[in-house]
Amino acid sequence: FFLINLNPNLKKLAISQTEMHTSAEQLEDWLVNHGYRQNFFARYGQWLGLLPKQPATDPATGKPAQRFSFCNDPVVPTFSGVLQGDFGCSTKFKTTVASKLFPALGATGLLMFWVLAVMVPISLLVGILAGMREGSRTDRTLSVASIASTATPEYVSGVIFTVIFASWLGWLNGSAASASQGLTFYNFTLPVMTLAIYGTGYIARMTRASMVEVMTQQYIRTARLKGLSFSSVVVKHALRNALIAPFTVIMLQFPWLLTGVVIVEVMFRYQGFGYTLVEAAGNNDIDLLLGCSLVSVFIVLITQLISDVGYAFLNPRIRVQ
């Protein structure tokens, strides 16, 4: 809240809401009339909803008025902040933050669902196959492919996929803007591929490392000495224990996806959370930026909690301790 409300950002907001050639005095009057020059802690308390939100001042009459007419702000002091479900007004999109942020978050949630649906099974399969026989040709090939995919950032793989599948072959659409009206294989595959490829290599390498460690355990050797086939040992004994560590890594992908979608959504014009965040930052949309920050922190905390609880549930030794 402090960094977003620094004076240069407030001045840029005033310029974007007035005119480029507005005098410094008029910009200052705009900030005063719209409540941006109130005491910092008072503004913070109003944003949280701990203090009553103060209305703006009509410069013509000097009477209380709505801060932004497109948000139906109250004209009397009212407790209306984050704690009451009011995230403020978006000066860029001329609407409430909630009406813009949550649909965008839903669009990103849909993208993340399909990315995880593609990324997790493939990465687990690759990691298990590579870790079953450490040092084999299969292990070396899959490991090199995993490292190559992880070393390639989204803005590089996205451009490569667009050139190959959209420009040269014409199989896919290089823009996902139409996906907000309806998802199709044609308009939604490229952003999913771009995000999934990067995360697949990371999860696969973590799964491989866990699988290699499990395959060297004493109980695996005992099972082999008892005459169990290699496939039975892997499926019945090694696989369950090897998947405990990748579970934590998979949960860590949610915060990463929030940052990854910023690049991918802007690149493919997909109007989700990342696209909204970039638009808010580029236009000094203070309330929308704060709303995006809150959502990001909330998702990180929730996924970390699920990761810790899930790890203890999967690993009996943690529960005993």
Side-chain angles (χ1 to χ4, degrees):
F1 188 90
F2 173 76
L3 293 176
I4 293 175
N5 282 277
L6 289 174
N7 191 56
N9 294 334
L10 296 179
K11 288 186 176 180
K12 291 178 182 179
L13 173 63
I15 293 174
S16 67
Q17 296 301 305
T18 53
E19 296 178 0
M20 293 296 295
H21 301 289
T22 303
S23 65
E25 292 77 9
Q26 290 174 321
L27 293 177
E28 185 65 23
D29 289 341
W30 187 91
L31 291 173
V32 171
N33 294 332
H34 286 78
Y36 288 102
R37 290 309 189 192
Q38 297 181 57
N39 178 271
F40 171 80
F41 295 102
R43 287 193 57 216
Y44 184 57
Q46 293 171 17
W47 176 71
L48 289 176
L50 298 175
L51 296 176
K53 183 180 292 184
Q54 301 297 320
T57 302
D58 190 337
T61 63
K63 295 181 179 180
Q66 293 179 327
R67 292 179 68 242
F68 299 104
S69 58
F70 47 81
C71 281
N72 296 320
D73 277 343
V75 295
V76 295
T78 307
F79 286 92
S80 181
V82 172
L83 297 178
Q84 290 80 24
D86 180 9
F87 292 88
C89 298
S90 171
T91 53
K92 159 64 178 175
F93 297 101
K94 307 299 180 184
T95 184
T96 61
V97 169
S99 63
K100 180 62 183 178
L101 177 60
F102 292 112
L105 192 62
T108 295
L110 189 61
L111 174 60
M112 292 172 67
F113 170 79
W114 285 108
V115 170
L116 291 172
V118 172
M119 179 175 65
V120 172
I122 294 177
S123 58
L124 291 179
L125 179 61
V126 170
I128 291 170
L129 292 176
M132 284 170 53
R133 298 184 183 276
E134 182 183 10
S136 64
R137 180 178 299 178
T138 300
D139 177 26
R140 292 195 297 269
T141 302
L142 294 178
S143 296
V144 169
S146 299
I147 295 173
S149 66
T150 306
T152 307
E154 299 94 333
Y155 55 85
V156 174
S157 58
V159 171
I160 294 174
F161 290 152
T162 301
V163 170
I164 295 176
F165 296 104
S167 299
W168 290 354
L169 301 177
W171 293 349
L172 303 172
N173 190 355
S175 172
S178 60
S180 58
Q181 282 76 40
L183 300 181
T184 63
F185 181 84
Y186 181 67
N187 64 15
F188 205 56
T189 301
L190 281 181
V192 172
M193 284 176 56
T194 302
L195 283 171
I197 287 294
Y198 182 83
T200 296
Y202 180 65
I203 299 177
R205 289 192 298 125
M206 296 299 104
T207 306
R208 175 199 174 276
S210 180
M211 192 70 181
V212 168
E213 181 181 359
V214 169
M215 292 299 293
T216 59
Q217 297 298 313
Q218 188 64 42
Y219 67 89
I220 297 294
R221 297 174 183 172
T222 302
R224 289 286 286 165
L225 291 174
K226 287 182 176 181
L228 291 178
S229 64
F230 182 77
S231 58
S232 298
V233 170
V234 171
V235 174
K236 295 182 179 180
H237 299 278
L239 194 56
R240 179 181 177 182
N241 293 323
L243 293 181
I244 294 177
F247 172 78
T248 305
V249 177
I250 292 171
M251 295 308 300
L252 289 173
Q253 300 308 300
F254 285 92
W256 163 76
L257 283 173
L258 277 181
T259 59
V261 296
V262 173
I263 299 173
V264 172
E265 288 184 358
V266 172
M267 179 181 297
F268 293 104
R269 305 293 297 173
Y270 183 70
Q271 298 187 15
F273 176 82
Y275 179 86
T276 302
L277 176 61
V278 171
E279 288 293 307
N283 293 275
N284 298 285
D285 195 336
I286 291 177
D287 286 343
L288 186 55
L289 269 174
L290 291 172
C292 292
S293 301
L294 273 181
V295 168
S296 300
V297 171
F298 179 79
I299 291 178
V300 170
L301 292 177
I302 291 298
T303 53
Q304 293 303 294
L305 178 61
I306 296 175
S307 173
D308 291 342
V309 174
Y311 189 82
F313 179 78
L314 292 173
N315 193 339
R317 290 174 295 179
I318 300 296
R319 293 202 302 272
V320 171
Q321 294 173 357

